Amino acid sequence: AQSVTQLGSHVSVSEGALVLLRCNYSSSVPPYLFWYVQYPNQGLQLLLKYTSAATLVKGINGFEAEFKKSETSFHLTKPSAHMSDAAEYFCAVSSGNTPLVFGKGTRLSVIA
Amino acid sequence: GAVVSQHPSWVICKSGTSVKIECRSLDFQATTMFWYRQFPKQSLMLMATSNEGSKATYEQGVEKDKFLINHASLTLSTLTVTSAHPEDSSFYICSASRDMTGNTIYFGEGSWLTVV
């Protein structure tokens, strides 16, 4: 079985500060890993995904994530937070032929 | 990019009635579609997996007679909430996969269901 743990249900950063959202996964097979963003009352938007290619994955809106097998982590970062980054972020894992399993989400607040 | 469309985006129905939500893949054929449910301020929970032309596979705890899923074509899956109750009020999201490789999964915009 696969699972995802997102540390911190709520993260608050100042505008212009580094964003770090943590995600650890558990998988018995090589995982596919995803980060999605959800704005209020909207669906999911894919930020980036890891599918066994480069371990450092660059996504949209300046986000990136690094797959670290030894740490079973896939943390999401952005060098400089913008007000428009305030949203709910979900990490998800799949084995490639199984449905995505989502973490509980982390709400990012950006303070002016 | 690939687009998955859900309809309706918002629906209000009376308790005891049934409501149907559609999920369409607009520019690709989806061999597999997934239905998720999201309660306010919570994560997405997989309800069922549907493959075109076969019966859906439901997750443990999901009532298959209450949440009817039909995947009649490669571009359309429907979720029907039968005899809806207020506790069924939730955000329902579908996703569609072109080939189940893990990196070709696209999400719909979601459908808000409110049962009054």
Side-chain angles (χ1 to χ4, degrees), chain A residues 32 34 36 38 41-44 46 49 51 90 94 96-105, chain B residues 10 34 36 38 41-44 46 49 91 93 100-105 107-110 112:
Chain A
Y32 292 86
F34 306 78
Y36 286 89
Q38 185 179 36
N41 301 321
Q42 294 187 27
L44 298 178
L46 179 66
K49 60 188 177 187
T51 57
F90 292 97
S94 167
N97 60 1
T98 58
L100 268 63
V101 174
F102 287 86
K104 293 188 175 182
Chain B
W10 301 82
F34 307 95
Y36 291 84
Q38 184 182 32
K41 300 187 185 302
Q42 295 189 29
S43 188
L44 287 79
L46 179 67
T49 302
F91 190 51
I93 306 178
M100 287 297 286
T101 62
N103 60 352
T104 57
I105 298 176
F107 280 85
E109 313 97 325
W112 278 105

Side-chain angles (χ1 to χ4, degrees), chain B residues 5 9 13 24 27 31-32 39-40 53 57 64 68 70 74 85 88 93 106 109 114:
Chain B
S5 177
S9 300
C13 71
R24 293 181 184 273
D27 58 357
T31 56
T32 305
F39 290 106
T57 301
K64 61 181 181 181
L68 301 179
N70 183 283
L74 285 172
H85 289 275
D88 298 326
I93 306 178
Y106 307 95
E109 313 97 325
T114 300

Side-chain angles (χ1 to χ4, degrees), chain B residues 15-111:
Chain B
S15 184
T17 62
S18 296
V19 61
K20 179 184 290 186
I21 300 170
E22 294 185 348
C23 177
R24 293 181 184 273
S25 56
L26 298 183
D27 58 357
F28 69 100
Q29 292 186 326
T31 56
T32 305
M33 288 186 172
F34 307 95
W35 286 95
Y36 291 84
R37 181 176 183 176
Q38 184 182 32
F39 290 106
K41 300 187 185 302
Q42 295 189 29
S43 188
L44 287 79
M45 300 301 296
L46 179 67
M47 297 176 67
T49 302
S50 74
N51 293 294
E52 186 266 338
S54 62
K55 290 184 177 180
T57 301
Y58 290 81
E59 295 300 299
Q60 190 172 12
V62 178
E63 299 175 60
K64 61 181 181 181
D65 294 330
K66 181 171 184 61
F67 298 99
L68 301 179
I69 292 173
N70 183 283
H71 193 162
S73 76
L74 285 172
T75 59
L76 174 64
S77 176
T78 60
L79 168 67
T80 301
V81 183
T82 63
S83 187
H85 289 275
E87 56 265 31
D88 298 326
S89 299
S90 185
F91 190 51
Y92 293 87
I93 306 178
C94 75
S95 67
S97 172
R98 183 184 275 124
D99 56 16
M100 287 297 286
T101 62
N103 60 352
T104 57
I105 298 176
Y106 307 95
F107 280 85
E109 313 97 325
S111 300

